[in-house]
Amino acid sequence: MSFISFRALGRDIVERFTDMDGKEPKPGDLIQVFRGILYKHWAVYVGLGNVVHFGADGSAPGSSLVPASGQKSGVVMEKLKDVVNGDKWKINNYLDKKYKPRCTNEIVKDACKLVGSGLEYDVLNYNCEHFATELRYGKPESRQAYEARAGFLEGVLEATGAIIAVAAVAVIGIMKS
C-alpha cells in the first residue's frame, strides 16, 4: 500500500495510490478502510486522489468516527491518504456480482452533489457502508451491519436457550418436590 506524489514547482502534479493488494482505485470504486478489528470505514473514490464519505460531523479531517445513531452526520470530500491515515485499505466492490454498478459518471456526480449535506446516521440501517454502496449500486447495503445483527440475534438466541434450560430445570425441581 503506497501513496506516491510527483512534485513540480512545489505542486503535486500526479498522485498514485495503491491499496494493500497493489491496485490503483478508479472513480466509482468503493474504498474499505480497516479501523481495528471490529470496524471498517467506507468511502467512494471520485478521482484525483479524493474520496467522498459519510462520517461524524465536527470530526477532524481524515477521521471516520462512528456517529451516534440518529445523529445528523456530514458527507465530506477528502484526500484518500488523509482518510486512510496510515490504516490498511483496499478497493472492495464486493457487490459487483450481485448488482450492476451504476455509470461511473453518475456515481461521481451524485457523490460530489452530496458533499456538505447532512444525513441521519444509523449504525445498523444507514452507515458509511450503506452510503457508499447506495452510490455505486443504487441500493444501500452493509455487510458489517448484517453481521452485527446476526451476531446480536445469535447472542439473544443463546441467552434465550439458557433461560429456557434454567426454567426447565426449575420446573423439574418443583415437580419432584
Side-chain angles (χ1 to χ4, degrees), residues 68-88:
S69 283
Q71 175 184 345
K72 283 280 189 196
S73 300
V75 176
V76 295
M77 181 186 300
E78 295 181 277
K79 289 291 184 189
L80 173 60
K81 66 182 177 186
D82 293 336
V83 173
V84 168
N85 197 26
D87 289 329
K88 290 185 178 187

Side-chain angles (χ1 to χ4, degrees), residues 8 40 42 45 63 79 81 85 90 99 103 106 117-118 148 173:
K40 292 155 191 82
W42 291 81
Y45 188 75
S63 160
K79 289 291 184 189
K81 66 182 177 186
N85 197 26
K90 72 176 187 174
Y99 304 119
C103 169
E106 292 297 312
S117 65

Side-chain angles (χ1 to χ4, degrees), residues 2-169:
S2 64
F3 296 97
I4 301 170
S5 287
F6 298 95
R7 298 182 69 80
L9 302 174
R11 292 187 352 193
D12 288 335
I13 54 171
V14 175
E15 289 188 296
R16 293 191 59 213
F17 309 102
T18 56
D19 71 0
M20 57 196 272
D21 298 327
K23 298 178 187 169
E24 286 186 51
K26 297 181 292 302
D29 279 339
L30 299 182
I31 305 297
Q32 181 182 27
V33 183
F34 298 89
R35 303 277 197 229
I37 298 169
L38 298 175
Y39 174 64
K40 292 155 191 82
H41 185 61
W42 291 81
V44 176
Y45 188 75
V46 294
L48 301 175
N50 295 303
V51 293
V52 172
H53 64 115
F54 179 42
D57 275 346
S59 58
S63 160
S64 52
L65 296 174
V66 178
S69 283
Q71 175 184 345
K72 283 280 189 196
S73 300
V75 176
V76 295
M77 181 186 300
E78 295 181 277
K79 289 291 184 189
L80 173 60
K81 66 182 177 186
D82 293 336
V83 173
V84 168
N85 197 26
D87 289 329
K88 290 185 178 187
W89 66 281
K90 72 176 187 174
I91 298 161
N92 191 353
N93 300 318
Y94 72 99
L95 293 172
D96 279 7
K97 290 182 180 161
K98 184 175 181 180
Y99 304 119
K100 181 179 188 240
R102 297 172 59 226
C103 169
T104 300
N105 292 339
E106 292 297 312
I107 297 168
V108 171
K109 182 181 80 168
D110 289 350
C112 292
K113 247 196 294 187
L114 288 168
V115 171
S117 65
L119 303 173
E120 191 169 313
Y121 185 91
D122 185 302
V123 71
L124 293 177
N125 296 309
Y126 201 79
N127 61 42
C128 58
E129 187 177 357
H130 288 103
F131 172 79
T133 57
E134 184 172 29
L135 282 167
R136 183 167 176 87
Y137 305 105
K139 298 176 186 319
E141 210 166 292
S142 172
R143 183 170 45 197
Q144 64 187 341
Y146 174 81
E147 290 168 358
R149 271 193 209 98
F152 173 76
L153 289 175
E154 184 179 305
V156 167
L157 292 174
E158 285 176 10
T160 303
I163 292 168
I164 291 170
V166 168
V169 168

